[in-house]
Amino acid sequence: MKAAMVPVIVAAGRRPVSPAGEVRFGWCLLAALLTTTASVLAGSVRGLKTGELLLAAPGIFLLLAGYFGLASSGVRSALAAWIRHSPFRAALLLQALALPYLAYCVPLRCFSAAGLLALLFYLNLPLWILTFRTTGSHSPVTDFLALLLIWLPVELRWMPPLWSWPPEQNGRFLYGVLGVILGLYLFDVVRALPDIGFTLVPRKRDWIVAGWALLLFVPVALILGGLSGFVGVGFHLPLPPAWNALGRLLGIFLVTAVPEELLFRGLLQNLVRHWTGRPILALAVSASLFGLAHLNVGSRPDWRLALLATLAGLAYGGAYQASGRLIAAMLAHTFVNGLWLLLLKG
């Protein structure tokens, strides 16, 4: 007889989190406040109206509070303990991700009922896939399907413009923040996937591993990029002021490196390694898909960018495997993108 379709919450059985070195939630809120303030100041420099920026700030803060809060393993463990054996609590907690959207759009008068429904569908469908199964254990099919449901709607722009202010950018950077929260909640808090290694606080070894990944990848990328004509000759000088460069690097880290490394290394590479028991295969699969995803960058596909992104994925995935922590891959990713933006692209 086939087992009945029943909800399964698998967050039980976690080891207690040691307080040593753990980031407290108060620091996470401070990071969210500082980042929100920096976003408002950056918008002011771009010429956006101060009043509208202040109206947008609460929604941005709420989203960033979840982003930085879930970076704390203590917060994730506490949430896992609260939802344990309760599908209702797991679903109820997830609906809180609609609050930043409401806090952002209602004051700015860009609320859309269709947008809210699309957001709720985007949040809840992968949760349903992960928690309602016919067996007591997870399968590669449900894991991979849930991962695709997090990634593809944003990657292929199936989602409506939820954050439709300011009109020229449609809040695209907030999708990455939302994806990080959703991915961590579903796969760490609910799914209890081991070995994700997510943190935003680097150790000395993480810097070293990231540096090695950079040294191994950049010379190869410059040679191949130069031979293919993708990378021009010479650097764009003079460099921007230090404060400007630092702001760009922090933006790359928070909006690009963290979401992409969580998706391709912490989740995809990690899942393939657990499914197959073959770390090299997992590295190759995640790097290849990372490269193919870059065919969607720009006005038309460019095989040269896809090739370089695949090689970069090997470097980032190697850093993740070597350190066991995503922060090493995130740092390497930030350095590579920063060099491209500040020195080569201009």
Side-chain angles (χ1 to χ4, degrees):
M1 181 181 296
K2 293 184 178 180
M5 182 74 78
V6 294
V8 182
I9 300 294
V10 292
R14 292 172 179 262
R15 292 176 294 179
V17 177
S18 170
E22 175 57 29
V23 179
R24 296 182 181 275
F25 187 60
W27 287 106
C28 299
L29 293 179
L30 178 60
L33 178 61
L34 292 175
T35 306
T36 302
T37 303
S39 300
V40 171
L41 292 175
S44 179
V45 170
R46 291 175 50 202
L48 298 178
K49 295 180 180 179
T50 302
E52 293 178 333
L53 286 167
L54 293 178
L55 290 176
I60 296 174
F61 172 76
L62 287 175
L63 202 59
L64 290 172
Y67 179 92
F68 287 109
L70 284 177
S72 167
S73 60
V75 170
R76 298 197 301 269
S77 293
L79 293 177
W82 188 73
I83 69 169
R84 185 175 299 154
H85 306 309
S86 175
F88 174 76
R89 287 185 176 183
L92 178 64
L93 192 57
L94 188 60
Q95 310 318 304
L97 281 178
L99 295 178
Y101 170 72
L102 296 174
Y104 187 94
C105 291
V106 171
L108 290 168
R109 299 181 180 179
C110 58
F111 170 78
S112 164
L116 178 60
L117 289 175
L119 173 61
L120 292 174
F121 188 75
Y122 172 68
L123 296 174
N124 287 279
L125 185 57
L127 173 68
W128 185 86
I129 293 294
L130 279 182
T131 58
F132 284 77
R133 306 188 308 280
T134 58
T135 65
S137 61
H138 287 277
S139 73
V141 174
T142 57
D143 286 335
F144 190 63
L145 182 56
L147 191 58
L148 286 178
L149 290 172
I150 296 172
W151 173 43
L152 288 183
V154 176
E155 178 69 22
L156 300 180
R157 294 176 173 82
W158 292 341
M159 296 286 288
L162 297 179
W163 296 277
S164 55
W165 178 90
E168 68 272 14
Q169 58 93 13
N170 291 332
R172 296 294 308 176
F173 74 97
L174 294 178
Y175 282 112
V177 176
L178 178 65
V180 168
I181 299 173
L182 182 60
L184 280 175
Y185 179 73
L186 293 181
F187 280 93
D188 191 298
V189 176
V190 176
R191 165 71 167 81
L193 176 67
D195 304 324
I196 294 177
F198 188 89
T199 179
L200 298 180
V201 182
R203 300 177 302 198
K204 180 180 178 180
R205 175 173 169 77
D206 298 318
W207 291 101
I208 294 173
V209 172
W212 274 109
L214 187 70
L215 289 174
L216 291 172
F217 169 70
V218 169
V220 175
L222 289 176
I223 293 172
L224 291 179
L227 291 175
S228 65
F230 185 76
V231 177
V233 179
F235 298 122
H236 288 274
L237 297 173
L239 292 175
W243 65 268
N244 184 289
L246 180 60
R248 291 188 185 188
L249 288 174
L250 287 174
I252 291 170
F253 177 78
L254 293 174
V255 178
T256 302
V258 172
E260 291 186 0
E261 291 312 304
L262 174 63
L263 170 67
F264 287 99
R265 257 58 69 176
L267 298 182
L268 178 60
Q269 183 173 328
N270 190 16
L271 283 167
V272 175
R273 181 171 62 85
H274 280 288
W275 296 338
T276 66
R278 300 172 64 183
I280 301 300
L281 176 62
L283 175 61
V285 169
S286 66
S288 299
L289 291 178
F290 182 68
L292 290 174
H294 282 73
L295 290 173
N296 196 38
V297 176
S299 58
R300 59 182 181 179
D302 191 329
W303 67 268
R304 300 170 299 177
L305 176 59
L307 173 61
L308 292 176
T310 300
L311 296 176
L314 292 174
Y316 306 154
Y320 174 49
Q321 285 192 357
S323 66
R325 287 158 52 95
L326 269 178
I327 187 66
M330 295 171 187
L331 291 172
H333 195 149
T334 301
F335 294 156
V336 168
N337 283 27
L339 287 173
W340 166 255
L341 179 66
L342 297 174
L343 289 177
L344 299 175
K345 187 177 180 181

